């Protein structure tokens, strides 16, 4: 081993350990600008330095399919849109990009490459990514048509051959070979490089999520043939192949002549049609691969082509996923999919995903943090199991606080208000956050970035306020905004030792003419880019065109304000305890400092009070209804916004207010006021269809709603008879998951008095194995068996009878080889005040003839 080679290995290790150092990171990025190779141990390495690859980023689909059509429908210039989105990716530290190219839009049915607008825009996207230092792995064959969620209109070979035909039909195989040859030999007019020669296109994944079945030999033969087609072009880049989509024939891919294997991760499934709530960190605590010790697996590189915490807006999942990926040995991970700025207001592109710097700022900053974790955690490094691993290396993740955080000597990032101070403020180089910290106090809801340019000189970038006005995971439409953007003046206080308390503030982006002086570190800012300079520091060396890492200092991209006027998002409490004050919270957007908001509370047609609402943070307001108004009965209330001479009442946003004699609108919020001993419904089939997750888990299982003999509605879990030659189902057949944490808020004063869980249900089989599980905020689960009869009746379970148990991870993780259960360590005894989720689980049974079923009408605490 030469001295130079030894030094390079040492330097690579040194920079990996100190990856949070901007100097090392920039040097490594510069040196690692060429091709990669897979060594004999299955490690992806840079050709120049022999250093291990660790890249993290996103998928992004603007040149193709629905995204392309949606931009056209809105009259958006797609080149400008791509340029803006790639700038935001650079701000989030993304250094990896992957996409399954919609071959159906750039080929004919025989596989010839078509020089059309989709291909041109894709070439433009590749060029823009390269300009920002972002590396690519491309998947040339998508196997998808281009319609979702609309009708298909693609004309390529994937429009006439199914996934199964793709590897069995000789014409389909020939079309794919022809296309791969032409795609790799395609010269990008913007980069002037052939795809197979572009140093920033690191590798190719042959095809996206193929569909295979036995026999395995045919699968291996097809994979080898596609890899050979790529190599026949002269391409020497690594070739990857999907191994996780078809677990029944995984050995076929392990036997294939490919350099790497690709996986995906959707840890709680897809498309719940509403926001999932509760602690999902156990779902992403590990990624154990069943054949991880197989020698054929060990000598191949590993990448995650897609991952997402679908239907979850909490900014805590990505860093945990990144850590788990590294423990499993992955060197590449790309989220699916980053939402284009132009259509993110409505989240119409794959509604189960939602990620955009402007519209989901906290989740976007969590992606930034996850990227830092992915690059700094060692390949194969373990930090134990949840919750032990909630703090790892420079990172902290807290479900209870809604917080992901990175705190190293030179970088500090956070997704929510935090009391953590920078580890070494004098050495701090980069800060980004949502909310406030000891280093930055900010009154808005958008993300902000602080980057040190020189001692006493910082670049500040402030994004607009983003306010969630609807559930972003509901059925989507371009005509239904789910997040509102507002450009507001917001208070800012910066506490950086080298800035001092009286620093200057100068606008830097186009049209930003602000020049001001901070007083005691405080100022008021609007969205834009600013130079902050300590007293006496010159900023003459820094202009809008000055290059900094992969951006120019004056660059700024943000959506225009959403022209909707005031919007209210509020759900009434499920119940309130009589004789106890009730706190009511709401989100109200478009408020100005001169506006006032009131809560008009009325005990049905009885006493009425007008109560001022106070602001907890921007757009978050609350008021407390006094105990004297909360005697048993029903509380009706309205939210009233006064803007100068205008008065608006919600729900509805009607002019006037409820106490006006001619206010004729019947809409109102209401909450039942119950005695301390009254039951608290946790699940009611007649009301909660859109709030719960109910799924079949075994083959031939599904869910439905039926009416019981007394006319009440019940959720039905169903298991049908097995198909011919299908093995008998084992394990959970179906499950109901209910988040009820929000229902406890109005009954907090008497929660400790609850002793019993009451279930009204029935089963078509007398020996059905059904259990009920309660799970706490820390994911500790407690279960009790539930004996059901053929008639719907009430079954009472004492809370004291619940014992520590494994948590069923439902909705089910995907791929299907991932764990289906999580066991919390040292669970102790159940405290109902800590519980927030219930599972009703039905074990699979033997079914002959008519389907078996379990019907659940209601579950309540008493």
């Amino acid at each position: 081993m030469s001295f130079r080679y030894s030094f390079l290995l040492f330097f690579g290790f040194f920079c990996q350990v100190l990856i949070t150092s901007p100097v090392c990171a920039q040097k490594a990025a510069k040196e690692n600008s060429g091709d990669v190779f897979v060594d004999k141990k299955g490690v992806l390495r840079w050709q120049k330095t022999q250093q291990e690859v660790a890249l993290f980023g996103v998928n992004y689909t603007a040149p193709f399919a629905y995204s392309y059509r949606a931009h056209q429908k809105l009259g958006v210039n797609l080149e400008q849109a791509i340029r803006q989105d790639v700038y935001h990716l650079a701000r989030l530290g993304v250094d990896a990009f992957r996409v399954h190219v919609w071959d159906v839009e750039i080929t004919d049915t025989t596989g010839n490459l078509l020089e059309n607008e989709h291909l041109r825009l894709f070439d433009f996207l590749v060029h823009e990514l390269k300009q920002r230092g972002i590396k690519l792995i491309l998947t040339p064959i998508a196997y998808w048509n281009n319609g979702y969620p609309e009708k298909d209109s693609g004309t390529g070979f994937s429009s006439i051959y199914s996934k199964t035909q793709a590897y069995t039909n000789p014409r389909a195989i020939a079309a794919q070979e022809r296309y791969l040859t032409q795609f790799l030999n395609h010269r990008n007019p913007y980069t002037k490089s052939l795809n197979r020669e572009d140093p920033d296109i690191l590798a190719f994944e042959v095809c996206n999520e193929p569909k295979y079945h036995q026999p395995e030999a045919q699968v291996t033969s097809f994979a080898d043939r596609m890899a050979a087609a790529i190599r026949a072009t002269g391409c020497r880049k690594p070739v990857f192949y999907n191994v996780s989509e078809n677990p029944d024939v995984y050995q076929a891919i392990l036997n294939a002549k490919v350099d790497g294997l690709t996986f995906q991760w959707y840890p709680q499934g897809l498309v719940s049609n509403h926001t999932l709530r509760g602690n999902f960190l156990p779902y992403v605590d590990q990624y154990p691969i069943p054949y991880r010790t197989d020698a054929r697996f060990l000598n191949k590189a590993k990448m995650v082509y897609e991952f997402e915490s679908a239907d979850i807006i909490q900014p805590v999942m990505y860093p945990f996923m990144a850590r788990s990926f590294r423990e499993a040995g992955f060197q590449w991970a790309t989220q699916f999919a980053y939402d284009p700025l132009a259509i993110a207001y409505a989240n119409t592109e794959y509604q189960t995903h939602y990620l955009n710097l402007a519209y989901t700022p906290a989740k976007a900053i969590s992606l930034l943090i996850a990227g830092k974790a992915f690059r700094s955690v060692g390949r194969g490094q373990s930090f134990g199991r949840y919750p032990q691993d909630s703090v790892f290396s420079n990172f902290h993740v807290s479900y209870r606080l809604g917080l992901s955080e990175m705190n190293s000597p030179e970088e500090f990032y956070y997704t929510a208000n935090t009391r953590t101070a920078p580890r070494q403020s004098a050495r701090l180089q980069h800060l980004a956050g949502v909310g406030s910290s000891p280093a930055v106090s900010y009154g808005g809801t958008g993300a902000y970035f602080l980057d040190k340019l020189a001692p006493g000189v910082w670049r500040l970038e402030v994004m607009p306020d983003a306010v969630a006005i609807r559930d972003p995971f509901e059925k989507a439409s371009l005509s239904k905004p789910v997040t509102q953007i507002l450009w507001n003046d917001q208070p800012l206080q910066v506490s950086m030792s080298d800035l001092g308390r009286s620093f200057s503030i100068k606008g830097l982006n186009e049209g930003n003419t602000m020049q001001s002086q901070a007083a005691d570190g405080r100022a008021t800012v609007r969205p834009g880019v600013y130079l902050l300079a300590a007293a006496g520091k010159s900023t003459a060396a820094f202009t809008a065109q000055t290059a900094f890492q992969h951006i120019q200092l004056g660059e700024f991209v943000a959506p225009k304000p959403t022209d909707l006027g005031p919007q209210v998002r509020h759900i009434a409490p499920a119940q309130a305890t009589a004789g106890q004050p009730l706190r009511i919270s709401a989100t109200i957007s478009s408020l100005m400092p001169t506006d006032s908001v009131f809560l008009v509370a009325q005990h049905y047609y009885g006493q009425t009070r007008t109560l001022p609402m106070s602001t907890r943070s921007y757009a978050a307001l609350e008021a407390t209804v006094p105990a004297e108004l909360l005697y048993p009965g029903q509380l009706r209330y309205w939210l009233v916004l006064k803007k100068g001479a205008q008065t608006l009442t919600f729900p509805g946003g009607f002019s006037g207010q409820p106490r006006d004699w001619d206010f004729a609108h019947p809409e109102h919020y209401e909450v039942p006021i119950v005695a301390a001993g009254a039951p608290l419904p946790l699940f009611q089939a007649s009301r909660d269809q859109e709030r719960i997750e109910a799924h079949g888990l075994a083959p031939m299982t599904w869910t439905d709603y039926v009416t019981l003999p007394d006319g009440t509605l019940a959720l039905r879990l169903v298991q049908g008879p097995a198909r011919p030659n299908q093995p008998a189902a084992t394990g959970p057949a179906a499950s109901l998951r209910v988040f009820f944490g929000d229902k406890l808020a109005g009954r907090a004063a008497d929660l400790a008095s609850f002793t019993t869980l009451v279930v009204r249900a029935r089963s078509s089989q007398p020996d059905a194995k059904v259990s009920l599980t309660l799970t706490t905020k820390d994911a500790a689960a407690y279960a009790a068996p539930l004996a059901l009869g053929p008639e719907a009746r009430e079954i009472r379970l004492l809370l004291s009878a619940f014992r520590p148990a494994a948590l069923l991870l439902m909705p089910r993780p995907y791929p299907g080889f991932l764990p289906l259960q999580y066991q919390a360590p040292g669970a102790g005894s159940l405290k109902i005040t800590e519980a927030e989720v219930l599972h009703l689980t039905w074990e699979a049974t033997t079914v002959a003839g008519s389907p078996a079923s379990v019907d659940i009408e209601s579950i309540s605490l008493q």
Side-chain angles (χ1 to χ4, degrees):
M1 180 183 293
S2 69
F3 171 80
R4 181 176 181 273
Y5 184 72
S6 300
F7 174 78
L8 286 173
L9 284 180
F10 172 78
F11 180 77
F13 172 76
F14 182 73
C15 277
Q16 185 175 3
V17 171
L18 297 180
I19 197 71
T20 56
S21 163
V23 174
C24 270
Q26 291 174 30
K27 185 173 180 65
K30 184 176 181 180
E31 291 190 346
N32 295 330
S33 59
D35 290 334
V36 297
F37 71 100
V38 179
D39 70 14
K40 293 181 180 180
K41 294 184 178 180
V43 179
L44 191 66
R45 296 186 180 276
W46 299 103
Q47 288 278 10
K48 284 187 177 180
T49 65
Q50 312 293 304
Q51 185 181 347
E52 291 187 15
V53 173
L55 297 172
F56 188 88
V58 299
N59 288 248
Y60 169 78
T61 67
F64 301 110
Y66 169 79
S67 185
Y68 172 85
R69 298 192 302 271
H71 282 80
Q72 284 196 317
K73 187 177 294 185
L74 296 174
V76 175
N77 181 298
L78 267 155
E79 284 190 9
Q80 181 182 0
I82 289 170
R83 192 178 291 115
Q84 290 178 335
D85 286 324
V86 173
Y87 168 73
H88 278 170
L89 295 181
R91 285 310 283 133
L92 292 173
V94 162
D95 57 10
F97 169 84
R98 179 264 181 191
V99 72
H100 51 66
V101 176
W102 267 265
D103 55 274
V104 76
E105 291 189 318
I106 61 171
T107 68
D108 62 19
T109 56
T110 61
N112 291 301
L113 188 66
L114 304 179
E115 298 283 346
N116 59 20
E117 184 69 356
H118 297 291
L119 183 61
R120 185 190 73 80
L121 286 170
F122 179 66
D123 288 338
F124 178 78
L125 170 61
V126 170
H127 177 260
E128 289 297 307
L129 292 165
K130 286 167 59 68
Q131 295 297 105
R132 303 291 185 176
I134 298 172
K135 309 302 181 184
L136 299 86
I137 292 181
L138 300 181
T139 306
I141 302 173
Y143 288 140
W144 301 117
N145 213 312
N146 67 343
Y148 181 88
E150 301 169 324
K151 292 182 179 180
D152 291 332
S153 59
T155 57
F157 60 82
S158 289
S159 70
I160 61 172
Y161 300 115
S162 68
K163 285 189 179 186
T164 300
Q165 292 172 322
Y167 83 102
T168 57
N169 184 304
R171 291 184 179 180
I173 295 171
Q176 291 170 86
E177 289 177 316
R178 184 175 296 111
Y179 165 61
L180 287 172
T181 300
Q182 295 182 19
F183 182 83
L184 267 73
N185 283 319
H186 168 68
R187 188 175 299 278
N188 185 319
Y190 298 96
T191 68
K192 310 304 181 185
S193 295
L194 299 179
N195 282 341
R196 62 180 171 85
E197 294 178 345
D198 191 321
D200 293 313
I201 300 176
L202 303 186
F204 293 94
E205 180 196 24
V206 174
C207 53
N208 181 75
E209 298 180 356
K211 185 66 175 177
Y212 299 141
H213 52 72
Q214 300 286 351
E216 291 181 347
Q218 190 176 22
V219 177
T220 303
S221 175
F222 175 76
D224 287 346
R225 190 166 170 177
M226 293 299 103
I230 289 176
R231 294 181 180 123
T233 66
C235 178
R236 295 297 177 261
K237 299 177 185 294
V239 176
F240 284 77
Y241 212 95
N242 184 300
V243 72
S244 59
E245 187 73 7
N246 301 272
D248 293 343
V249 295
Y250 77 90
Q251 298 212 45
I253 307 305
L254 294 186
N255 288 328
K257 297 173 184 176
V258 295
D259 306 293
L261 304 171
T262 72
F263 296 77
Q264 79 277 65
W265 200 7
Y266 295 114
Q268 67 289 327
L270 295 167
V271 196
S272 290
N273 291 308
H274 60 263
T275 298
L276 295 176
R277 294 175 294 172
N279 186 348
F280 285 93
L281 291 177
Y283 289 61
V284 293
D285 190 45
Q286 57 178 322
Y287 194 99
I289 301 168
Y291 38 85
R292 56 189 176 275
T293 59
D294 191 306
R296 297 166 298 173
F297 173 81
L298 294 173
N299 66 15
K300 292 180 173 62
K302 295 88 182 172
M303 69 172 276
V304 177
Y305 66 95
E306 290 179 13
F307 71 89
E308 175 63 300
S309 56
D311 302 311
I312 291 179
I313 205 68
Q314 302 167 28
V316 297
M317 301 290 280
Y318 291 154
F320 245 53
M321 297 178 83
R323 177 194 53 73
S324 296
F325 287 146
R326 292 300 281 158
E327 181 182 7
F330 292 108
Q331 295 182 259
W332 173 287
T334 38
Q335 179 268 355
F336 190 93
Y338 186 83
D339 285 87
L341 184 70
I343 58 177
Y345 72 91
N347 192 30
T348 54
E349 188 192 45
Y350 305 103
Q351 71 183 63
T352 196
H353 309 275
Y354 199 27
L355 175 66
N356 179 274
L357 174 58
Y359 287 90
T360 66
K363 195 172 181 181
I365 296 298
S366 81
L367 185 86
L368 184 158
I369 295 168
K372 298 290 181 179
F374 190 85
R375 299 178 201 102
S376 62
V377 169
R379 181 174 52 86
Q381 186 175 4
S382 176
F383 295 91
R385 300 273 67 88
Y386 182 78
Q388 175 186 336
D389 55 356
S390 294
V391 178
F392 60 98
S393 186
N394 295 318
F395 305 91
H396 171 218
V397 177
S398 171
Y399 162 70
R400 286 179 179 258
L401 298 176
L403 174 67
S404 292
E405 190 174 75
M406 175 187 175
N407 193 4
S408 74
E410 294 175 319
E411 296 178 281
F412 185 35
Y413 309 112
Y414 45 89
T415 63
N417 292 337
T418 178
R419 296 180 180 178
T420 304
R423 182 176 294 181
Q424 296 184 33
S425 58
R427 292 179 56 188
L428 194 63
Q429 301 289 315
H430 304 281
L431 180 150
V434 175
S436 295
S437 71
V440 178
S441 178
Y442 181 59
T445 62
Y448 51 86
F449 301 82
L450 273 163
D451 297 286
K452 190 171 185 176
L453 307 179
V457 182
W458 292 72
R459 178 187 189 268
L460 168 68
E461 182 171 357
V462 180
M463 294 296 292
D465 294 320
V467 180
I469 57 175
R470 291 185 179 90
D471 188 332
F473 303 116
E474 295 173 348
K475 187 174 182 179
S477 167
L478 282 174
S479 64
K480 188 181 80 171
V482 298
T483 303
Q484 187 176 10
I485 295 294
L486 302 119
W487 288 51
N488 296 304
D489 294 328
Q490 294 288 9
L492 173 78
Q493 181 177 17
V494 178
S495 301
M496 298 290 182
S497 57
D498 65 334
L499 274 178
R501 311 297 288 177
S502 183
F503 51 84
S504 63
I505 308 171
K506 179 183 177 181
L508 200 57
N509 59 294
E510 183 178 356
N512 187 350
T513 60
M514 177 181 175
Q515 293 198 38
S516 183
Q517 197 81 17
D520 193 27
R522 301 174 188 272
T524 299
V525 295
R526 288 179 62 78
V529 176
Y530 303 86
L531 278 178
L532 310 184
K537 291 287 183 179
S538 171
T539 60
F542 304 105
T543 69
Q545 289 73 42
T546 301
F548 176 73
Q549 297 179 349
H550 294 294
I551 67 171
Q552 291 184 342
L553 294 185
E555 286 189 89
F556 181 67
V557 173
K560 295 179 180 179
T562 312
D563 187 18
L564 290 175
Q567 298 290 306
V568 171
R569 189 177 185 188
H570 172 69
I571 297 175
Q575 287 183 347
T577 302
Q580 297 290 331
L582 176 65
R583 186 173 67 181
I584 293 177
S585 302
T587 298
I588 305 179
S589 68
S590 297
L591 296 181
M592 302 299 291
T594 55
D595 296 341
S596 55
V597 183
F598 300 90
L599 186 146
V600 177
Q602 180 184 68
H603 193 281
Y604 203 61
Y605 289 117
Q607 184 182 2
T608 303
R609 294 278 298 274
T610 299
L611 307 164
M613 298 195 76
S614 59
T615 301
R616 292 185 290 121
S617 58
Y618 179 73
L621 293 92
E622 65 181 22
T624 299
V625 181
E628 57 264 27
L629 205 61
L630 293 167
Y631 51 91
Q634 185 186 76
L635 181 74
R636 305 197 308 172
Y637 61 95
W638 301 260
L639 305 178
V640 179
L641 167 62
K642 292 187 176 182
K643 298 179 73 70
Q646 183 186 28
T647 301
L648 298 174
T649 293
F650 297 87
F654 300 112
S655 295
Q657 54 183 315
R659 305 189 81 169
D660 293 342
W661 73 269
D662 58 349
F663 188 82
H665 304 285
E667 292 84 352
H668 62 274
Y669 303 106
E670 62 184 37
V671 53
I673 310 167
V674 300
L680 172 60
L682 303 184
F683 167 72
Q684 294 173 286
S686 60
R687 300 183 59 178
D688 293 334
Q689 295 99 321
E690 305 303 319
R691 292 171 47 94
I692 55 97
E693 296 81 54
H695 298 282
L697 298 171
M700 302 304 294
T701 58
W702 65 94
T703 62
D704 200 353
Y705 282 92
V706 298
T707 50
L708 300 179
D710 62 359
T712 57
L713 193 68
L715 170 69
R716 171 164 286 184
L717 311 179
V718 189
Q719 181 182 354
R723 293 192 180 99
N725 301 319
Q726 186 181 60
T730 59
S735 179
L736 161 68
R737 180 184 183 274
V738 180
F739 176 83
F740 60 83
D742 55 341
K743 294 187 176 184
L744 304 183
R747 301 290 303 276
D750 52 306
L751 272 183
S753 65
F754 288 113
T755 62
T756 307
L757 207 62
V758 180
V759 183
R760 182 170 171 79
R762 69 178 182 179
S763 170
S764 66
Q765 292 188 326
D767 57 348
K769 294 181 179 179
V770 182
S771 63
L772 204 64
T773 304
L774 295 173
T775 307
T776 69
K777 297 173 184 176
D778 296 321
Y782 303 83
L786 186 64
L788 301 181
E791 304 297 330
R793 63 183 181 89
E794 287 190 350
I795 302 97
R796 305 178 68 84
L797 297 174
L798 291 175
L799 296 180
S800 59
F802 282 73
R803 296 290 180 264
L807 168 64
L808 177 68
L809 301 184
M810 201 284 290
R812 185 175 194 142
Y814 191 83
F817 59 70
L818 293 169
L820 194 56
Q821 293 183 326
Y822 162 77
Q823 180 71 60
S829 58
L830 172 64
K831 295 180 180 178
I832 193 60
T833 53
E834 288 291 297
E836 63 174 10
V837 174
L838 69 83
H839 279 92
L840 185 145
T841 305
W842 176 33
E843 295 295 316
T845 185
T846 300
V847 179
S850 299
S853 62
V854 170
D855 299 333
I856 311 109
E857 178 190 334
S858 63
I859 305 173
S860 62
L861 276 170
Q862 291 186 15

